[in-house]
């Protein structure tokens, strides 16, 4: 009875805390500018099924892809059992669903196999990161926190899976002892293998072991749930909406800035009065491009929270590969870190808070922004369909249009295009000269 | 030198003619010495097949692509609006271009500003000519040669055109060999995003060298490409690696013009 009450309190606390954190993240994402991604719904659902659920872009790298699918599918499926655990906890029952008979036995047996696979996969992941030290998991942005974050998650999963298997072994021993409360639920294919090693433990010892592991398992899961919003691991939830709201246009198509469109249309309108006072935009002063995270769209901000820090983007980026400072993963992580900072600031100081900092320079330098070739390798590689390139371009627009901070060669091509319709200094009248050469 | 027939839209209008397709030459195709050869090669093929085409000549202006990628949206839209006025004035319906950057901009970014055309990269246009039976490529000139194709980012990833260039190369009876990073994984030549026009940021290597080295590893006779900027980057790379006697770099149009002895 007492344990049921403690358990119910725990469930409520864990869910409430999680809801609060998720709300903060949603609020932060909504700090972004509006962008309409509500069209072509059917295509979006299909894309989500393929890329988020089917992980089509993960398997481009077969080893990591396969291991990731095991961990992901295994973890999700095993968590069906969490439902039973929660109900058991509330009602003080044990293996509530065991009345399902052989179906239940089969389920438990497959959970065990999956648990082992997840465990092994996580160990391999840990080895890849910490022993083999794959290059993809290093880089300037991979400071101690992102590295630890990845390890915490993997270690937690290893512990949870181990607890699950040992718990089953203890359970199984108790069943063999015909212990009260421990109904027979068929054979345990994995934990059954080390039941014998528990043979020296007394019945009450086994019950102790089984109970503590049960609590460890479920408390661990609640803790994990509440760790998610602080971690790159939040992608297991955000990957779905993030892929759903992907850009569906060809990758090469950059949006035509609406603010600029208005001004240009005025210049091309023969009816426009050149001496009329420029129309003052209402509300906030209009800004071309992005100086800070609030100048980006909510989708770009959602990208940043969805980023898994996997580094697939950076590992194919031509600028990064040739030793430049630019790393598309860093662009995404900086965007998120700055957004979290702005969000916390708003929580503390109210909506209009201003810390005098910005995404540009305080986080991302000009050098990084200018090095991008707009090749789209990063967007192609990203398993959750992030678009680091769009952030880079928006920052560039701010640099060029608001601060006029173009490298001198670019100023030159701008002048040439404006004056003679080509980036080089050739007269437009000579455009057909090639014909007679 | 053979005479090229290159009617302009203005001339066409004057004689009340209508071309089937506009050849958008682009700034590189008009002014860059190496790219001009690509322009001429395509015109030779068009003339040979008897395609009814025209160019804008001195009425053509930069699409604005370099400005847009470099962050100058204002200049881009000014260019776009100007070009759209000219194109719509001539009631252009279909455009072919040898530059993937012009291709991408005309095809994807002009419609929203009022410029709606069917836009084709020359690799697609030539493939269509072959499919329609109007163009046949004589194998032979390149028989047994090893050719690798460098995917231009703005043709491949940006617009998913991977097959047309390869179909053309296969028609040459040549051996098409792929670099490890090809198609969706193609590696940039280093020119896009305005990089063509400025010094690279500090690093330990030039992007075009990284790409050229990858191509050289295959020991090809020819590196083929479909972009005047990739052409510049790969040519510089091969020169720097001292391989210009062994490895030639050609655009798809040039390969076909050569194969057909034009
Ligand atoms: S688009 Fe820019 S950031 Fe992305 S891979 Fe290419 S060069 Fe790197
Ligand atoms: S942006 Fe995408 S590819 Fe890059 S690190 Fe984040 S999740 Fe990975």
């Amino acid at each position: 009875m007492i344990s049921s009450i403690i358990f119910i309190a725990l469930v409520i606390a864990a869910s409430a805390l999680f809801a609060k954190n998720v709300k903060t993240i949603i609020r932060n994402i909504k700090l972004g500018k509006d962008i309409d991604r509500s069209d072509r719904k059917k295509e979006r659902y299909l894309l989500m099924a393929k890329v988020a659920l089917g992980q089509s872009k993960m398997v481009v790298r077969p080893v990591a892809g396969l291991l990731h699918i095991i961990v992901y599918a295994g973890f999700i499926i095993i968590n069906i059992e969490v439902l039973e655990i929660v109900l058991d906890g509330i009602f003080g029952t044990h293996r509530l669903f065991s009345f399902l008979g052989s179906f239940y036995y089969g389920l438990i047996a497959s959970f065990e196999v999956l648990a082992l696979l997840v465990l092994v996969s996580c160990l391999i992941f840990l080895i890849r990161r910490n022993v083999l030290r794959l290059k993809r998991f290093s880089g300037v942005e991979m400071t101690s926190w992102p590295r630890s974050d990845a390890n915490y998650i993997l270690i937690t999963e290893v512990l949870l899976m181990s607890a699950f298997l040992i718990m089953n072994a203890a359970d199984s021993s108790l069943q063999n002892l015909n212990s009260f409360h421990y109904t027979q639920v068929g054979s345990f294919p994995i934990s059954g293998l080390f039941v014998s090693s528990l043979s020296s433990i007394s019945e009450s010892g086994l019950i102790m072991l089984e109970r503590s592991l049960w609590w460890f398992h479920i408390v661990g899961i609640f803790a994990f749930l509440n760790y998610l919003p602080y971690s790159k691991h939040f992608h297991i939830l955000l990957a779905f909406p993030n892929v759903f709201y992907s850009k569906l246009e060809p990758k090469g198509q950059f949006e035509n800035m609406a603010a600029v469109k208005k001004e240009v249309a005025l210049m091309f309108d023969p009816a426009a009065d050149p001496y009329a006072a420029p129309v003052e935009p209402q509300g906030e002063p209009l800004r071309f491009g992005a100086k800070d995270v609030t100048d980006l769209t909510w989708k770009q901000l959602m990208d940043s929270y969805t980023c898994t820090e996997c580094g697939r983007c950076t590992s194919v980026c031509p600028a990064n590969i040739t030793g430049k400072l630019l790393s598309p993963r860093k662009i995404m992580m900086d965007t998120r870190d700055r957004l979290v900072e702005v969000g916390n600031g708003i929580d503390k100081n109210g909506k209009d808070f201003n810390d005098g900092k910005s995404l540009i320079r305080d986080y991302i330098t000009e050098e990084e922004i200018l090095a991008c070739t707009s090749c789209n390798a990063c967007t192609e590689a990203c398993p959750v369909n992030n678009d680091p390139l769009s952030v880079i371009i928006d920052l560039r627009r701010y640099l060029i249009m608001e601060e006029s901070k173009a490298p001198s060669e670019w100023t030159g091509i701008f002048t040439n295009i404006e004056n003679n319709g080509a980036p080089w200094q050739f007269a437009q009248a000579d455009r057909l000269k090639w014909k007679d050469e | 030198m053979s005479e090229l027939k290159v009617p302009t839209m203005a001339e066409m209008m004057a004689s009340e003619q209508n071309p089937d397709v506009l050849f958008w030459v682009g700034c590189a195709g008009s002014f860059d010495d190496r790219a001009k050869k690509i322009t001429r090669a395509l015109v030779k093929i068009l003339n040979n097949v008897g395609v009814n085409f025209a160019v804008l000549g001195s009425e053509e202006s930069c699409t604005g692509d370099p400005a847009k990628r470099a962050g100058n949206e204002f200049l881009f839209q000014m260019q776009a609006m100007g070009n759209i006025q000219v194109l719509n004035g001539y009631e252009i319906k279909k455009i072919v271009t040898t530059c993937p950057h012009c291709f991408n901009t005309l095809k994807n970014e002009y419609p929203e500003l009022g410029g709606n055309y069917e836009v084709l990269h020359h690799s697609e246009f030539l493939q269509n000519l072959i499919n329609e039976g109007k163009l046949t490529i004589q194998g032979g000139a390149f028989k047994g040669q090893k050719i690798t194709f460098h995917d231009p980012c703005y043709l491949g990833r940006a617009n998913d055109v991977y097959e047309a260039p390869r179909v053309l190369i296969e028609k040459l009876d040549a051996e098409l060999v792929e670099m490890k990073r090809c198609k969706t994984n193609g590696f940039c030549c280093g020119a896009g995003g305005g990089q063509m026009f400025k010094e690279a940021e500090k690093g330990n290597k030039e992007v075009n060298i990284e790409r050229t080295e990858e191509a050289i590893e295959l020991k090809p006779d020819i590196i083929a490409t479909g972009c005047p900027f990739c052409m510049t980057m790969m040519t510089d790379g091969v020169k720097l690696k001292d391989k210009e006697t062994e490895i030639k770099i050609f655009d798809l149009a040039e390969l076909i013009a050569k194969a057909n002895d034009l």
Side-chain angles (χ1 to χ4, degrees), chain A residues 58 74 173 201 249 254:
Chain A
M58 284 300 292
S173 310
I201 307 178
E249 290 81 30
F254 292 10

Side-chain angles (χ1 to χ4, degrees), chain B residues 89-100:
Chain B
Y90 284 125
E91 294 179 21
I92 299 297
K93 303 263 167 334
K94 190 171 175 180
I95 300 176
V96 59
T97 177
T98 47
C99 174

Side-chain angles (χ1 to χ4, degrees), chain B:
Chain B
M1 196 183 303
S2 65
E3 270 295 302
L4 298 180
K5 288 198 293 289
V6 192
T8 62
M9 277 311 302
E11 290 161 10
M12 282 252 171
M13 273 285 258
S15 57
E16 288 183 13
Q17 278 175 294
N18 241 332
D20 297 330
V21 61
L22 176 84
F23 173 22
W24 183 277
V25 181
C27 298
S30 302
F31 296 124
D32 178 88
D33 283 333
R34 182 66 189 82
K36 282 193 261 187
K37 293 188 183 158
I38 305 172
T39 309
R40 296 173 58 85
L42 183 66
V43 169
K44 282 180 195 163
I45 300 171
L46 297 180
N47 281 169
N48 185 255
V49 174
V51 173
N52 176 21
F53 78 100
V55 298
L56 284 174
S58 57
E59 288 184 279
E60 189 184 283
S61 187
C62 175
T63 57
D65 163 82
K68 189 174 180 94
R69 310 302 139 182
N72 195 337
E73 179 74 7
F74 197 80
L75 180 54
F76 160 71
Q77 290 199 17
M78 291 293 289
Q79 285 299 115
M81 293 302 279
N83 283 322
I84 289 171
Q85 271 188 352
V86 174
L87 291 166
N88 289 357
Y90 284 125
E91 294 179 21
I92 299 297
K93 303 263 167 334
K94 190 171 175 180
I95 300 176
V96 59
T97 177
T98 47
C99 174
H101 297 264
C102 298
F103 166 69
N104 176 67
T105 308
L106 292 167
K107 180 172 190 256
N108 298 322
E109 289 161 357
Y110 275 32
E112 208 214 357
L113 300 171
N116 291 287
Y117 324 102
E118 182 194 350
V119 187
L120 298 172
H121 182 249
H122 67 306
S123 63
E124 300 174 295
F125 188 80
L126 293 171
Q127 195 194 3
N128 288 350
L129 288 180
I130 292 172
N131 292 345
E132 291 161 12
K134 291 180 186 155
L135 171 67
T136 39
I137 299 178
Q138 275 125 47
F142 296 101
K143 203 173 170 85
Q145 299 229 27
K146 235 189 196 179
I147 304 183
T148 186
F149 181 69
H150 164 77
D151 288 280
C153 301
Y154 274 84
L155 185 65
R157 265 191 305 271
N159 286 293
D160 290 322
V161 179
Y162 301 110
E163 281 319 307
R166 292 179 165 80
V167 169
L168 296 180
I169 292 173
E170 270 155 19
K171 291 262 191 264
L172 295 169
D173 262 353
E175 182 195 351
L176 173 64
V177 285
E178 296 286 4
M179 285 182 261
K180 215 164 100 210
R181 291 176 288 194
C182 66
K183 299 183 186 169
T184 50
N185 297 322
F187 191 77
C188 181
C189 71
Q195 306 305 328
M196 175 78 190
F197 304 101
K198 71 171 196 24
E199 283 296 313
E201 275 59 39
K202 210 165 90 298
N204 51 31
K205 204 182 205 176
E206 293 294 337
V207 176
N208 67 328
I209 297 299
E210 168 84 12
R211 183 53 161 174
T212 311
E213 284 172 353
E214 188 178 1
I216 290 174
E217 259 176 54
L218 297 172
K219 298 199 182 2
D221 300 298
I222 293 167
I223 299 172
T225 186
C227 171
F229 297 102
C230 297
M231 173 61 76
T232 304
M233 293 314 232
M234 299 307 285
T235 308
D236 288 354
V238 167
K239 246 185 228 150
L240 254 150
K241 286 265 144 191
D242 254 338
K243 291 278 177 205
E244 66 227 277
T245 43
E246 296 109 290
I247 303 175
K248 303 279 172 236
I249 300 131
F250 289 118
D251 183 89
L252 296 162
E254 294 178 301
L255 290 174
I256 293 176
K258 268 196 205 320
N260 285 4
D261 210 11
L262 297 174

Side-chain angles (χ1 to χ4, degrees), chain A residues 252-301:
Chain A
Q253 179 176 338
F254 292 10
E255 126 258 41
N256 295 319
M257 292 172 68
V260 173
K261 242 184 334 201
K262 271 188 224 142
E263 295 206 6
V264 172
L266 266 176
M267 300 185 70
F268 271 81
D269 180 6
D273 175 2
Y275 300 107
V279 229
E280 282 299 329
Q282 314 244 306
E284 267 180 87
L286 206 64
R287 187 182 274 162
F288 293 123
K291 178 187 185 190
D292 208 347
V293 283
T294 45
D295 300 320
L296 297 169
T297 69
W298 60 261
K299 179 57 175 65
Q300 289 169 316
L301 300 183

Side-chain angles (χ1 to χ4, degrees), chain A residues 306-314 329 332 378 381-384 386 388:
Chain A
T306 313
C307 178
T308 71
E309 300 173 5
C310 69
R312 288 173 182 234
C313 51
T314 297
R329 168 171 58 191
M332 284 286 105
C378 52
C382 180
V384 292
N386 277 355

